[in-house]
C-alpha cells in the first residue's frame, strides 16, 4: 500500500542504534522483539482517519515508527511492524527495567502535507501500554490486545463508551530472560504507594508548583540496591474520599492519554483498618483515619516493581531479620523552570543537596518473614528525617533522596507534545540527556571526594550546612505535628518463607497419629431383615402379653385351663383396649418397617408392579411367609425364658466428670481415674472424654500418658483443633519440638480464626527464640480477637444490649454446656478438712472454646434410687429433690426457670465487674488452666504483665500458687486482686479456698458468705457451697448447712452435696429427709463410706436391725476413716443393742 504524497515510508529508528535490528540482520539473542500486528476498530475513534502509523517507545527511547498505513473501512490497520531493544542483565534495560517499565505505543494520524508546509503534520490519536511482566514469569512469547486510550487533545474525545479499539501486539524473545534457577529462586517485589494523609498545613494547592516525591531502596542483584521512586504526587484538597476500587498507575512521564497510565487488571481495593499490617489499625484510630481520608491529601496510586535475583532474595531476608524496619523517605521539591536552571548553573550543586520537608516512614517488614506471607499493607506514620534515628532503626547511613536529588529534581519544561517530535529534535534531546547524565556523574564524584577532606577545611561550609539542616529538620517536624501517615502496599510474587500446605500438615499428623480404623460397614441383607422382623414380633408379643396381664392378671384357673367362652371374651376385651388406646396402631407402625425391609432384601421388590394380578399374587406369597416367620418368633419366645434387659445406668457422663473432678480436688486420684475410665467406657469415640482424661494425667504430671490420651482424641477426629493444641503442648513438655510445631501450625491452618491457637503458637515460637513468627502469631491472634469482640458487640446491639445487661445480673441455674462446673475444690463434710486440696478455677470461659460435656440431664432422669442390697426396703426417692427445690425457691422469681432441677449446671455468666481483661494471653491462660497445662501458664502471664497487671492476672497467678500449695504468694496475689477489683466474686471465692486450706475456717466462712451475697455468682460456686456447708457443719449451724447444701444440689447434684444435706438433716433429727438425701447420695456413689455410716445410724434410730447391720458392714468394708463418726456409730450400736454383727 502506497503512502500519500509528501509522506515517506518510515523504518524503525532508535536513539540506540544496536537496539533496532535491520531487516537484513537477524535479531540478537538478548533482543526483546515487539511486533505491532494491527489496530482494531480505529473508526470508533475517528471515522475520517485515512492514514495512521504507530510509534513504539521503551524507557523514554523511541524504538521506531511504522510505515504509514491506510485504515480499512472496518477500522483495521495492519501495521505488522517489528522493532526491538537489547536486554542487558548488568546495563540498561535490565530485569529491573523489564519488571516496572512497559512498552508505550502511540497511534498517530498522518495528515497530508500542504504545499507551503516544510514538514508533514501529524496528530496523536491514542496510546496503549504493554506490560512485559510475562517475560519474567518464564514465557518467551505472548500476545495481548492492548486497549487504546484516547488522547484528550485529539478528536478522539468523541469516543463512544462501548467502542473497543486496541492494538494487537506480540512480544517474544529467542530464549527466556530468566534461567530455571532464577525463575524458581528469584522473586518479584511490587510496591504500591497509595497516598499520604493528614499532611502539614504548609502544603497548599496554591502558590509555586511543587513536586511530592517518595523513595525507598531494595536489593535487586545481590547487594546492589535499586531505588524505587514515586514522583508527581498530586495534592488534593479536602472533600470526598478516594474511590474504591481504583486502578494502580504506571510511573510514566511521557503519557498523553490519561487512561494509558492505568495498569491492566491491577486495582487498589482497600479493606478494614483492623486487617492492616501497619500502624493506626486500632479501634481508637478509626475515627482519625476516617477524618484524614476526607481531608487534604497527596495521592500517588503508583506501583513500582523490582525483580529480585536469588542472591537479592537472601539479602532481603537477612536485612529484614537484622533491621525489621525499612525507611521510606518523602519530601517536597519546588518545580523550577528549565531557563532558571541554566542561568543558575553555579549554585545548582548546593540547591540539589537541599531537600525540603524531608520525612521518613518506618515500614515494619517483619511480617514478610512469616511463613506464607506475601503481602503487607497498612498505614505508616511519617517522622522528620534524622540521620541518627534512621541509622539506629534501619542501619542506613545516608539518605536516598539526597543521593538522587539531581535525578529527581523536577523541571518545568516548555510546552510540547511528547513522543511526536521530529528526528532532529529527538537527537538534540538525546544529546542534552547525555550531557545531563555526565554532569550528574561529575557532581557525585566531587561530593565523594569532598567527603574525605579534613573537617578543618570545611568549617564555614559546615556551619552553614548545619543551619540549613536545622531549618530543613523543622520542615520535616511538621509531619509529626500533623500526624501524617503513608498508606502503601508491599507485595511479593512468592513468600520469602514458604508455608507448609494444609495437605502436607495433615499428612504429617497422620504419620504421627494414624487415624482410627473405620467401623465395619453394616450390611443389610436378607438374613438381617428376617432377624429384625423376628425381633419386632417378639417385642410386640411381649407388649401384648403385658397388656393381657394388666387386664386379667397372671393367675391361671384351678383346673389349669380356660374355657372357650372366657377366652373369646378376654380376646374381645383385649382387642377393644388395644384399639381404643391406640396401641394397636403403634404396633402396626412398628412392624411396617421390618416388613418393608423383607420385601426389599429378600424378595428384591423395589419397583411398582405392572399388573394388579401380579400384585395380589405377591401379597398372598408374602402373607404366608410372614405368618410362618411370626410363628417361628413366637415359638422361640414361649419356649425360651427371655433374658432380663440390662438396667440402664443412672449416672451420666456429665455426672461422672463431676465426680472425677471432686475426687481430684480431694486428692483421691485413684477414684478420679476410675471415673474418667468409666466415662470413656460409656463412649470410646467421644473426643472430649479423652481430652478430660489427658488433662487429669497432666495434673498428675504424667505427660506421657496425657500425650497418649490427646493422640487418641486426635485419631478420632484429625481436625479437632483442641486436640491438636494439647498434643502440641504435650510435645513441648516432652521436648519433641518438631512435632509440636507441626501440631500448632496445623491447628492454626485448620481454624484461622482461633485466638487460642494463634496465641499458643506464638508462645511456642517464643520458646524457640523465633521472635519473628512469634510476633506474627500474636498479631494474628489480636486481629482475630478484635474481630470476635466486634461481632459480639454487633450481635448484642442487634438483640438489645439493655436486656442482656439486665439478664447478666440475674442468677441463672441453667447455663450452656460450655459453662459446666469450673475447676475448684469440693468437700464432703467437716471430717475431710485436713485432706482437702485446691484446684485452680477458671475465671471466665472462653467463648470460642468447646463445651466440656453435653447438655445437663433432663428433669427426672436418674433422680430416685434405693439401696439395692437392702432386702426389706428400698430407699426410692422420686419427688424429694423437686419438693426441696420448691422450698428453697421461695425467694426466687418463678419466671426465671428456677423450678427445674438439673443434675449439672455451671455458673452463670460473669458480670462486667468480674470479667477478666479480654486479651489474647488471658484467653490462652483460661484454656491452659482448664486442661492443667501449668507449664505454659506463667509464660502467658508474663506477656499479660507487660500490658499492666489486672485483676484477672493476679487471680490466675494466685490459682497457680494455690495449686502448688504456696500459700504466702497466693495470699499476696489475692491482696492485689482485691485492691484492683474488690467486687469480683471470684477473688473472694479463691480467698475463701485459701483460708479453708489453711484451716482458717472463720476467714473462709467470711469470704464464702461474701461470695454468695454478690448479685453475680463466682465461677466455682459448687465448691463454695460445699466448703461453706462443711464449715457450718463444723460450727454446728445445721440449718444453714442444710440450706447451703440444698443450693449446691440445685446447681450440680453429686454424692457430696446430698451427703451434706443428709448429715445436716440427721443432726436436725429430721430422719425421713435425712434418709432420702443419703439414699440419693448412695445412689450416685455407693462406695462412699460416710453415706453408709449415716444410713446405719438412721436405721438404728428406726429399729431396723438387718438394714443397720448391712449399712455398717459396707461402711467398715469401704474403710470409714473419720474416727469420731466411727466412735459415734459404735456408741449408738451399744445404746440400741443391735447393728453390729460382732455383738
Amino acid at each position: 500500500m502506497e503512502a500519500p504524497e509528501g509522506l515517506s515510508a518510515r523504518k524503525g529508528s532508535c536513539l540506540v542504534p544496536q537496539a533496532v535490528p535491520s531487516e537484513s540482520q537477524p535479531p540478537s539473542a538478548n533482543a526483546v522483539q515487539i511486533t505491532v500486528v494491527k489496530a482494531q476498530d480505529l473508526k470508533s475513534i475517528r471515522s475520517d482517519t485515512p492514514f495512521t502509523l504507530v510509534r513504539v517507545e521503551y524507557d523514554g527511547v523511541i524504538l521506531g515508527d511504522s510505515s504509514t498505513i491506510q485504515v480499512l473501512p472496518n477500522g483495521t490497520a495492519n501495521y505488522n511492524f517489528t522493532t526491538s531493544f537489547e536486554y542487558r542483565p548488568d546495563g540498561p534495560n535490565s530485569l529491573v527495567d523489564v519488571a516496572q517499565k512497559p512498552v508505550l505505543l502511540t497511534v498517530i494520524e498522518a495528515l497530508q502535507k500542504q504545499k507551503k508546509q516544510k514538514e508533514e503534520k501529524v496528530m496523536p490519536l491514542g496510546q496503549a501500554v504493554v506490560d512485559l511482566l510475562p517475560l519474567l514469569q518464564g514465557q518467551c512469547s505472548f500476545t495481548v490486545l492492548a486497549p487504546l486510550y484516547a488522547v484528550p487533545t485529539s478528536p478522539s474525545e468523541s469516543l463512544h463508551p462501548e467502542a473497543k479499539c486496541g492494538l494487537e501486539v506480540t512480544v517474544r524473545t529467542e530464549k527466556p530472560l530468566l534461567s530455571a534457577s532464577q525463575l524458581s529462586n528469584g522473586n518479584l517485589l511490587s510496591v504500591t504507594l497509595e497516598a499520604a494523609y493528614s499532611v502539614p498545613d504548609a502544603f497548599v494547592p496554591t502558590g509555586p508548583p511543587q513536586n511530592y516525591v517518595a523513595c525507598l531502596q531494595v536489593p535487586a542483584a545481590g547487594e546492589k540496591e535499586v531505588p524505587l521512586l514515586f514522583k508527581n504526587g498530586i495534592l488534593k484538597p479536602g472533600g470526598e474520599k478516594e474511590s474504591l476500587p481504583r486502578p494502580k498507575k504506571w510511573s510514566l512521564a511521557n503519557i498523553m492519554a490519561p487512561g494509558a497510565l492505568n495498569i491492566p487488571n491491577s486495582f487498589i481495593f482497600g479493606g478494614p483498618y483492623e486487617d492492616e499490617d501497619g500502624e493506626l489499625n486500632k479501634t481508637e484510630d478509626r475515627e482519625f483515619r476516617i477524618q484524614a481520608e476526607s481531608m487534604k491529601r497527596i495521592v500517588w496510586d503508583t506501583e513500582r516493581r523490582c525483580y529480585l535475583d536469588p542472591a537479592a532474595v537472601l539479602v532481603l531476608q537477612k536485612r529484614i531479620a537484622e533491621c525489621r524496619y525499612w525507611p521510606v523517605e518523602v519530601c517536597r521539591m519546588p518545580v523550577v523552570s528549565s531557563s532558571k536552571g541554566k542561568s543558575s548553573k553555579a549554585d545548582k550543586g548546593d540547591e540539589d543537596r537541599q531537600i525540603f520537608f524531608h520525612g521518613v516512614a518506618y515500614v515494619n517488614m517483619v511480617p514478610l518473614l512469616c511463613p506464607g506471607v506475601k503481602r503487607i499493607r497498612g498505614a505508616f506514620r511519617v517522622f522528620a528525617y534524622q540521620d541518627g534515628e534512621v541509622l539506629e532503626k534501619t542501619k542506613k547511613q545516608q539518605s536516598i533522596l539526597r543521593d538522587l536529588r539531581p535525578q529527581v529534581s523536577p523541571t518545568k519544561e516548555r510546552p510540547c507534545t511528547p513522543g511526536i517530535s521530529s528526528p532532529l529534535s529527538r537527537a538534540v534531546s538525546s544529546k542534552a540527556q547525555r550531557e545531563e547524565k555526565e554532569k550528574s556523574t561529575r557532581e557525585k564524584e566531587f561530593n565523594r571526594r569532598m567527603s574525605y577532606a579534613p573537617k578543618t577545611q570545611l568549617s564555614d561550609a559546615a556551619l552553614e550546612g548545619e543551619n540549613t539542616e536545622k531549618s530543613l529538620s523543622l520542615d520535616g517536624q511538621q509531619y509529626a505535628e500533623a500526624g501524617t501517615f503513608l498508606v502503601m502496599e508491599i507485595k511479593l510474587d512468592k513468600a520469602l518463607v514458604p508455608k507448609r500446605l494444609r495437605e502436607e500438615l495433615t499428612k504429617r499428623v497422620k504419620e504421627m497419629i494414624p487415624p482410627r480404623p473405620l467401623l465395619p460397614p453394616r450390611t443389610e441383607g436378607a438374613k438381617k431383615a428376617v432377624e429384625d422382623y423376628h425381633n419386632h414380633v417378639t417385642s410386640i408379643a411381649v407388649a401384648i402379653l403385658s397388656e393381657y396381664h394388666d387386664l386379667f392378671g397372671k393367675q391361671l384357673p384351678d383346673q389349669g385351663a380356660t374355657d372357650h367362652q372366657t377366652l373369646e371374651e378376654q380376646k374381645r376385651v383385649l382387642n377393644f383396649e388395644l384399639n381404643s388406646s391406640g396401641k394397636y396402631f403403634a404396633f402396626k407402625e412398628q412392624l411396617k418397617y421390618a416388613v418393608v425391609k423383607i420385601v426389599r432384601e429378600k424378595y428384591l421388590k423395589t419397583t411398582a408392579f405392572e399388573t394388579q394380578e401380579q400384585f395380589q399374587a405377591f401379597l398372598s406369597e408374602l402373607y404366608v411367609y410372614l405368618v410362618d416367620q411370626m410363628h417361628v418368633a413366637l415359638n422361640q419366645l414361649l419356649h425360651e425364658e427371655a433374658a432380663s434387659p440390662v438396667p440402664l445406668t443412672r449416672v451420666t457422663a456429665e455426672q461422672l466428670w463431676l465426680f472425677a473432678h471432686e475426687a481430684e480436688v480431694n486428692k483421691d486420684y485413684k477414684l478420679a481415674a476410675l471415673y474418667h475410665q468409666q466415662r470413656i467406657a460409656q463412649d470410646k469415640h467421644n473426643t472430649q472424654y479423652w481430652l478430660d482424661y489427658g488433662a487429669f494425667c497432666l495434673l498428675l504430671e504424667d505427660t506421657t500418658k496425657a500425650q497418649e490420651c490427646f493422640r487418641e482424641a486426635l485419631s478420632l477426629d484429625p481436625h479437632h483443633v483442641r486436640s491438636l493444641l494439647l498434643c502440641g503442648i504435650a510435645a513441648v513438655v516432652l521436648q519433641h519440638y518438631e512435632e509440636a510445631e507441626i501440631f500448632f501450625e496445623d491447628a492454626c491452618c485448620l481454624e484461622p480464626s482461633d485466638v487460642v491457637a494463634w496465641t499458643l503458637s506464638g508462645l511456642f515460637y517464643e520458646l524457640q527464640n523465633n521472635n519473628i513468627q512469634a510476633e506474627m502469631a500474636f498479631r494474628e491472634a489480636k486481629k482475630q480477637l478484635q474481630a470476635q469482640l466486634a461481632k459480639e458487640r454487633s450481635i448484642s446491639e442487634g438483640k438489645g444490649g439493655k436486656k442482656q445487661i439486665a439478664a447478666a445480673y440475674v442468677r441463672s441455674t441453667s447455663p450452656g454446656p460450655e459453662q459446666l462446673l469450673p475447676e475448684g475444690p469440693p468437700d464432703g463434710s467437716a471430717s475431710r478438712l485436713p485432706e482437702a486440696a485446691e484446684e485452680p478455677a477458671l475465671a471466665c470461659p472462653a467463648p470460642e472454646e468447646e463445651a466440656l460435656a453435653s447438655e445437663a440431664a433432663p428433669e427426672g432422669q436418674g433422680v430416685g434410687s434405693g439401696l439395692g442390697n437392702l432386702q426389706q426396703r428400698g430407699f426410692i426417692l422420686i419427688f424429694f429433690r423437686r419438693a426441696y427445690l420448691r422450698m428453697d425457691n421461695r425467694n426466687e422469681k418463678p419466671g426465671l426457670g428456677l423450678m427445674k432441677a438439673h443434675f449439672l449446671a455451671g455458673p452463670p455468666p460473669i458480670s462486667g465487674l468480674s470479667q477478666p481483661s479480654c486479651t489474647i494471653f488471658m484467653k490462652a491462660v483460661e484454656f491452659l488452666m482448664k486442661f492443667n497445662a501449668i507449664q505454659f501458664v506463667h509464660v502467658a502471664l508474663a506477656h499479660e504483665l507487660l500490658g499492666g497487671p489486672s485483676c484477672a492476672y493476679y487471680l490466675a497467678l494466685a490459682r497457680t500458687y494455690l495449686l502448688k500449695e504456696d500459700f504466702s504468694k497466693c495470699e499476696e496475689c489475692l491482696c492485689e486482686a482485691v485492691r484492683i477489683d474488690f467486687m469480683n466474686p471470684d477473688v473472694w471465692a479463691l480467698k475463701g479456698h485459701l483460708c479453708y486450706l489453711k484451716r482458717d475456717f472463720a476467714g473462709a466462712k467470711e469470704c464464702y458468705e461474701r461470695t454468695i451475697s454478690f448479685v453475680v455468682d463466682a465461677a466455682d460456686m459448687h465448691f463454695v457451697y460445699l466448703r461453706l456447708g462443711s464449715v457450718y457443719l463444723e460450727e454446728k449451724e445445721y440449718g444453714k448447712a442444710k440450706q447451703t447444701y440444698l443450693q449446691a444440689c440445685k446447681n450440680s447434684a453429686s454424692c457430696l452435696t446430698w451427703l451434706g444435706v443428709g448429715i445436716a438433716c440427721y443432726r436436725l433429727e429430721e430422719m425421713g429427709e435425712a434418709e432420702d438425701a443419703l439414699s440419693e447420695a448412695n445412689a450416685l456413689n455407693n462406695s462412699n463410706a460416710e453415706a453408709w455410716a449415716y444410713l446405719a445410724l438412721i436405721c438404728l434410730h428406726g429399729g431396723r436391725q438387718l438394714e443397720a447391720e448391712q449399712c455398717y458392714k459396707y461402711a467398715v468394708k469401704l474403710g470409714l476413716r473419720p474416727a469420731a463418726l466411727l466412735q459415734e456409730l459404735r456408741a449408738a450400736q451399744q445404746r440400741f443393742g443391735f447393728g453390729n454383727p460382732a455383738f
Side-chain angles (χ1 to χ4, degrees):
M1 184 176 297
E2 296 182 357
E5 182 182 355
L7 291 178
S8 59
R10 309 182 183 194
K11 290 186 179 180
S13 61
C14 184
L15 293 177
V16 183
Q18 65 272 19
V20 183
S22 63
E23 295 181 359
S24 60
Q25 295 178 350
S28 171
N30 291 332
V32 178
Q33 293 184 357
I34 298 102
T35 301
V36 182
V37 180
K38 62 182 177 179
Q40 297 181 3
D41 203 10
L42 285 179
K43 292 291 186 180
S44 63
I45 295 181
R46 182 169 176 170
S47 58
D48 57 347
T49 301
F51 296 96
T52 61
L53 60 94
V54 64
R55 174 166 293 166
V56 182
E57 300 179 43
Y58 182 72
D59 194 14
V61 177
I62 300 177
L63 301 181
D65 296 348
S66 71
S67 302
T68 302
I69 303 299
Q70 184 177 2
V71 180
L72 300 177
N74 61 359
T76 302
N78 297 311
Y79 298 113
N80 291 320
F81 171 66
T82 300
T83 183
S84 63
F85 66 88
E86 291 288 336
Y87 152 70
R88 298 179 180 177
D90 300 326
N93 303 332
S94 64
L95 292 176
V96 175
D97 298 320
V98 173
Q100 64 181 338
K101 296 176 182 178
V103 175
L104 179 62
L105 308 173
T106 306
V107 176
I108 302 171
E109 179 185 8
L111 303 176
Q112 291 187 0
K113 185 174 66 172
Q114 302 297 330
K115 294 182 179 180
K116 296 182 179 180
Q117 291 179 347
K118 296 182 179 180
E119 294 183 359
E120 60 189 29
K121 185 178 180 181
V122 294
M123 178 70 68
L125 291 178
Q127 287 186 314
V129 292
V130 176
D131 193 356
L132 300 179
L133 186 61
L135 296 179
L136 299 180
Q137 296 173 342
Q139 298 185 31
C140 293
S141 176
F142 65 92
T143 301
V144 294
L145 183 63
L148 187 64
Y149 298 94
V151 176
T153 57
S154 69
S156 60
E157 289 182 343
S158 60
L159 175 67
H160 299 290
E162 64 274 6
K164 297 181 181 180
C165 51
L167 294 175
E168 183 179 339
V169 183
T170 299
V171 181
R172 65 181 299 271
T173 59
E174 292 295 329
K175 60 180 182 179
L177 298 186
L178 299 179
S179 64
S181 175
Q182 288 177 317
L183 189 62
S184 59
N185 299 325
N187 213 328
L188 183 69
L189 176 69
S190 303
V191 180
T192 302
L193 182 60
E194 299 179 17
Y197 297 99
S198 188
V199 297
D201 295 334
F203 292 2
V204 292
T206 60
Q210 305 286 340
N211 189 14
Y212 300 95
V213 183
C215 183
L216 73 157
Q217 269 187 330
V218 294
E223 296 284 345
K224 180 182 176 181
E225 292 190 339
V226 174
L228 299 181
L229 273 172
F230 298 87
K231 299 187 292 184
N232 304 321
I234 302 174
L235 179 62
K236 292 188 177 181
E240 296 183 358
K241 300 173 61 176
E242 297 294 319
S243 61
L244 289 174
R246 59 184 187 272
K248 298 179 181 180
K249 302 182 184 302
W250 295 106
S251 180
L252 298 177
N254 55 341
I255 290 290
M256 294 178 289
L261 278 175
N262 299 335
I263 302 177
N265 302 321
S266 185
F267 298 91
I268 297 173
F269 294 98
Y273 303 135
E274 294 79 6
D275 295 341
E276 294 179 352
D277 302 287
E279 307 167 52
L280 300 174
N281 54 1
K282 305 293 190 301
T283 306
E284 55 269 19
D285 302 321
R286 181 179 182 83
E287 184 177 355
F288 169 69
R289 292 282 299 272
I290 295 175
Q291 289 181 348
E293 290 177 0
S294 59
M295 296 173 63
K296 184 170 54 178
R297 58 200 179 273
I298 302 171
V299 179
W300 285 275
D301 288 345
T302 303
E303 180 183 81
R304 298 298 298 267
R305 302 170 183 162
C306 181
Y307 172 76
L308 310 180
D309 65 7
V313 172
L314 298 178
V315 171
L316 180 64
Q317 289 180 336
K318 180 180 177 182
R319 291 187 181 177
I320 294 176
E322 292 176 350
C323 304
R324 298 175 64 90
Y325 296 102
W326 214 267
V328 179
E329 299 181 36
V330 293
C331 71
R332 188 182 78 172
M333 294 182 179
V335 179
V336 296
S337 62
S338 59
S339 60
K340 181 180 177 181
K342 293 179 181 178
S343 63
S344 57
K345 197 170 185 178
D347 300 331
K348 185 172 177 59
D350 295 335
E351 291 179 1
D352 284 350
R353 285 187 291 273
Q354 294 181 4
I355 301 177
F356 300 96
F357 291 94
H358 194 187
V360 61
Y362 300 104
V363 179
N364 186 6
M365 302 276 280
V366 168
L368 292 179
L369 294 185
C370 300
V373 176
K374 298 188 291 186
R375 172 184 177 269
I376 59 174
R377 179 186 178 274
F380 304 92
R381 294 181 183 274
V382 180
F383 304 93
Y385 189 95
Q386 302 288 344
D387 291 330
E389 184 180 3
V390 174
L391 178 61
E392 179 184 356
K393 285 191 173 182
T394 68
K395 297 183 180 180
K396 296 286 185 180
Q397 298 183 356
Q398 54 189 359
S399 168
I400 310 170
L401 286 177
R402 289 173 188 164
D403 295 341
L404 301 176
R405 178 65 173 87
Q407 301 179 25
V408 300
S409 178
T411 303
K412 188 176 181 180
E413 301 289 349
R414 296 189 307 271
C416 64
T417 305
I420 58 173
S421 57
S422 62
L424 179 61
S425 65
R426 293 197 299 269
V428 173
S429 175
S430 175
K431 182 178 179 181
Q433 290 177 2
R434 288 198 298 270
E435 291 178 354
E436 184 67 24
K437 290 182 180 180
E438 292 175 359
K439 175 176 166 295
S440 174
T441 305
R442 289 196 300 270
E443 286 180 351
K444 286 186 178 181
E445 181 65 20
F446 173 77
N447 294 336
R448 186 184 64 81
R449 293 177 180 177
M450 291 299 292
S451 64
Y452 293 99
K455 294 184 179 179
T456 55
Q457 300 177 8
L458 304 174
S459 57
D460 296 337
L463 292 175
E464 184 177 352
E466 288 180 3
N467 295 332
T468 304
E469 288 185 5
K470 287 182 180 179
S471 63
L472 296 178
S473 177
L474 293 176
D475 289 344
Q477 191 65 31
Q478 295 186 34
Y479 289 120
E481 296 173 356
T484 306
F485 61 92
L486 297 177
V487 177
M488 59 187 305
E489 176 192 65
I490 299 176
K491 184 172 62 175
L492 292 164
D493 187 52
K494 294 177 287 189
L496 294 178
V497 181
K499 183 179 180 180
R500 282 181 288 211
L501 298 177
R502 178 175 175 179
E503 292 76 11
E504 180 185 354
L505 292 171
T506 304
K507 181 180 178 182
R508 293 286 300 276
V509 172
K510 287 183 178 179
E511 290 175 355
M512 293 185 292
I513 307 172
R516 276 182 161 273
L518 298 177
L519 294 175
R522 297 182 178 180
T523 56
E524 298 290 340
K527 182 178 180 181
K528 181 67 167 54
V530 174
E531 291 177 356
D532 290 343
Y533 176 75
H534 288 175
N535 293 334
H536 281 83
V537 170
T538 302
S539 62
I540 293 173
V542 171
I544 294 175
L545 187 60
S546 176
E547 188 73 19
Y548 177 88
H549 289 161
D550 292 339
L551 291 174
F552 308 111
K554 296 183 179 182
Q555 298 294 333
L556 294 175
D558 296 338
Q559 294 81 7
T562 305
D563 60 343
H564 178 73
Q565 184 178 358
T566 304
L567 287 175
E568 290 295 326
E569 180 64 17
Q570 290 179 350
K571 180 180 178 181
R572 186 187 62 80
V573 173
L574 179 61
N575 287 334
F576 175 81
E577 183 66 24
L578 293 177
N579 282 282
S580 60
S581 63
K583 294 180 181 180
Y584 176 82
F585 179 79
F587 293 154
K588 186 175 66 173
E589 290 296 317
Q590 181 180 351
L591 198 61
K592 183 187 297 182
Y593 181 70
V595 174
V596 170
K597 286 205 301 184
I598 288 179
V599 172
R600 291 178 178 176
E601 299 295 333
K602 183 172 181 61
Y603 289 92
L604 304 178
K605 297 293 185 181
T606 56
T607 59
F609 293 89
E610 296 179 356
T611 61
Q612 186 68 20
E613 290 77 12
Q614 292 180 356
F615 178 63
Q616 292 296 331
F618 173 75
L619 288 182
S620 301
E621 180 182 359
L622 177 63
Y623 176 79
V624 173
Y625 178 83
L626 292 178
V627 171
D628 292 339
Q629 294 299 322
M630 179 190 68
H631 288 296
V632 171
L634 293 177
N635 291 334
Q636 292 178 353
L637 172 66
L638 297 177
H639 289 84
E640 295 179 5
E641 182 179 359
S644 59
V646 178
L648 297 176
T649 176
R650 294 185 57 257
V651 182
T652 64
E654 291 80 8
Q655 290 175 298
L656 287 174
W657 177 83
L658 173 62
F659 302 159
H661 191 60
E662 288 180 337
E664 292 173 17
V665 173
N666 288 329
K667 293 189 176 181
D668 191 351
Y669 299 127
K670 184 177 180 181
L671 181 61
L674 178 61
Y675 282 131
H676 280 297
Q677 292 166 4
Q678 289 181 0
R679 193 172 179 224
I680 291 175
Q682 287 187 2
D683 185 2
K684 293 182 179 180
H685 300 282
N686 191 300
T687 302
Q688 191 59 47
Y689 298 172
W690 286 104
L691 295 184
D692 292 337
Y693 192 22
F696 167 70
C697 296
L698 282 183
L699 179 65
L700 302 181
E701 298 183 354
D702 189 353
T703 311
T704 303
K705 193 170 185 179
Q707 185 186 44
E708 294 177 1
C709 295
F710 298 149
R711 293 196 171 199
E712 184 69 22
L714 192 59
S715 67
L716 294 172
D717 185 2
H719 303 294
H720 194 254
V721 177
R722 290 293 179 265
S723 301
L724 285 167
L725 293 177
L726 291 172
C727 284
I729 291 172
V732 171
V733 177
L734 296 174
Q735 300 183 358
H736 300 162
Y737 299 118
E738 293 184 2
E739 294 182 4
E741 183 177 6
I742 293 173
F743 287 129
F744 287 128
E745 191 173 346
D746 194 18
C748 296
C749 184
L750 285 173
E751 193 61 47
S753 61
D754 195 301
V755 177
V756 176
W758 285 110
T759 307
L760 293 182
S761 298
L763 295 176
F764 166 74
Y765 287 125
E766 192 176 56
L767 292 175
Q768 297 296 304
N769 295 323
N770 191 342
N771 296 327
I772 293 177
Q773 289 195 242
E775 182 180 346
M776 185 276 294
F778 291 147
R779 184 173 65 251
E780 187 66 25
K782 292 176 182 177
K783 182 190 298 184
Q784 297 300 332
L785 180 60
Q786 291 176 1
Q788 289 181 9
L789 295 178
K791 183 177 180 181
E792 291 174 3
R793 283 194 299 268
S794 63
I795 293 176
S796 63
E797 291 173 0
K799 293 183 178 179
K802 294 183 179 180
K803 294 182 178 181
Q804 289 192 347
I805 294 175
Y809 284 90
V810 179
R811 182 175 302 174
S812 172
T813 59
S814 57
E818 71 277 0
Q819 292 177 330
L820 285 177
L821 217 52
E823 285 86 345
D827 193 15
S829 63
S831 59
R832 289 183 181 262
L833 296 181
E835 300 175 6
E838 171 59 21
E839 173 78 4
L842 287 178
C844 177
E848 76 279 3
E849 292 177 357
E850 296 183 356
L852 285 179
S854 58
E855 292 289 345
E859 176 183 0
Q861 177 181 344
V863 175
S865 178
L867 302 177
N869 294 326
L870 297 181
Q871 296 180 357
Q872 295 186 3
R873 181 164 184 250
F875 296 88
I876 301 176
L877 180 62
I878 299 178
F879 300 103
F880 173 78
R881 293 177 68 246
R882 188 175 297 179
Y884 270 77
L885 292 178
R886 283 198 296 268
M887 294 168 53
D888 193 61
N889 287 336
R890 56 185 179 275
N891 295 326
E892 301 286 352
K893 296 181 181 180
L896 300 178
L898 296 178
M899 309 305 286
K900 293 183 179 181
H902 293 272
F903 261 118
L904 280 179
I910 302 177
S911 70
L913 292 175
S914 61
Q915 280 185 337
S917 56
C918 199
T919 65
I920 61 172
F921 300 108
M922 289 311 302
K923 294 284 187 184
V925 167
E926 293 165 7
F927 173 79
L928 295 170
M929 293 293 292
K930 177 175 293 186
F931 291 98
N932 301 319
I934 310 301
Q935 295 86 345
F936 270 77
V937 171
H938 288 282
V939 181
L941 289 177
H943 280 277
E944 180 69 17
L945 185 59
L946 294 177
S950 61
C951 180
Y953 165 80
Y954 285 116
L955 193 61
L957 191 59
R959 287 182 177 127
T960 61
Y961 287 135
L962 197 61
L963 188 63
K964 297 178 180 179
E965 297 184 357
D966 192 344
F967 297 147
S968 59
K969 291 184 179 180
C970 178
E971 188 171 6
E972 293 175 3
C973 294
L974 289 176
C975 290
E976 291 295 327
V978 170
R979 181 182 60 81
I980 295 175
D981 186 2
F982 66 92
M983 294 189 65
N984 192 325
D986 291 315
V987 176
W988 291 104
L990 193 61
K991 192 173 182 180
H993 296 332
L994 175 64
C995 295
Y996 187 89
L997 294 177
K998 293 170 62 176
R999 300 188 61 80
D1000 181 9
F1001 299 134
K1005 176 182 175 182
E1006 179 183 357
C1007 293
Y1008 289 147
E1009 289 178 343
R1010 181 190 288 259
T1011 301
I1012 63 176
S1013 66
F1014 282 111
V1015 177
V1016 180
D1017 286 343
D1020 59 346
M1021 290 303 297
H1022 178 79
F1023 302 106
V1024 170
Y1025 288 131
L1026 278 178
R1027 289 187 166 175
L1028 180 59
S1030 67
V1031 172
Y1032 284 145
L1033 289 178
E1034 183 75 13
E1035 297 182 354
K1036 299 183 179 180
E1037 298 182 27
Y1038 302 124
K1040 292 183 178 180
K1042 175 183 175 182
Q1043 295 302 321
T1044 303
Y1045 278 119
L1046 279 175
Q1047 187 66 33
C1049 291
K1050 180 175 66 175
N1051 289 342
S1052 49
S1054 68
C1055 173
L1056 297 181
T1057 58
W1058 287 114
L1059 177 62
V1061 173
I1063 295 173
C1065 292
Y1066 174 78
R1067 300 303 179 188
L1068 292 172
E1069 297 184 356
E1070 299 173 356
M1071 297 300 176
E1073 295 181 358
E1075 183 176 352
D1076 292 336
L1078 292 171
S1079 300
E1080 184 68 9
N1082 186 270
L1084 294 175
N1085 181 12
N1086 60 6
S1087 61
N1088 189 292
E1090 288 187 54
W1092 287 109
Y1094 279 101
L1095 282 172
L1097 288 172
I1098 291 173
C1099 292
L1100 287 174
H1101 283 84
R1104 292 175 285 174
Q1105 180 177 356
L1106 181 59
E1107 296 175 9
E1109 290 181 357
Q1110 286 185 339
C1111 292
Y1112 173 73
K1113 178 181 65 176
Y1114 283 113
V1116 174
K1117 182 178 181 180
L1118 292 172
L1120 183 61
R1121 286 180 290 181
L1125 180 58
L1126 184 58
Q1127 292 178 0
E1128 180 184 1
L1129 178 58
R1130 289 178 176 173
Q1133 291 172 346
Q1134 292 285 348
R1135 186 170 64 255
F1136 288 105
F1138 63 89
N1140 189 344
F1143 290 165

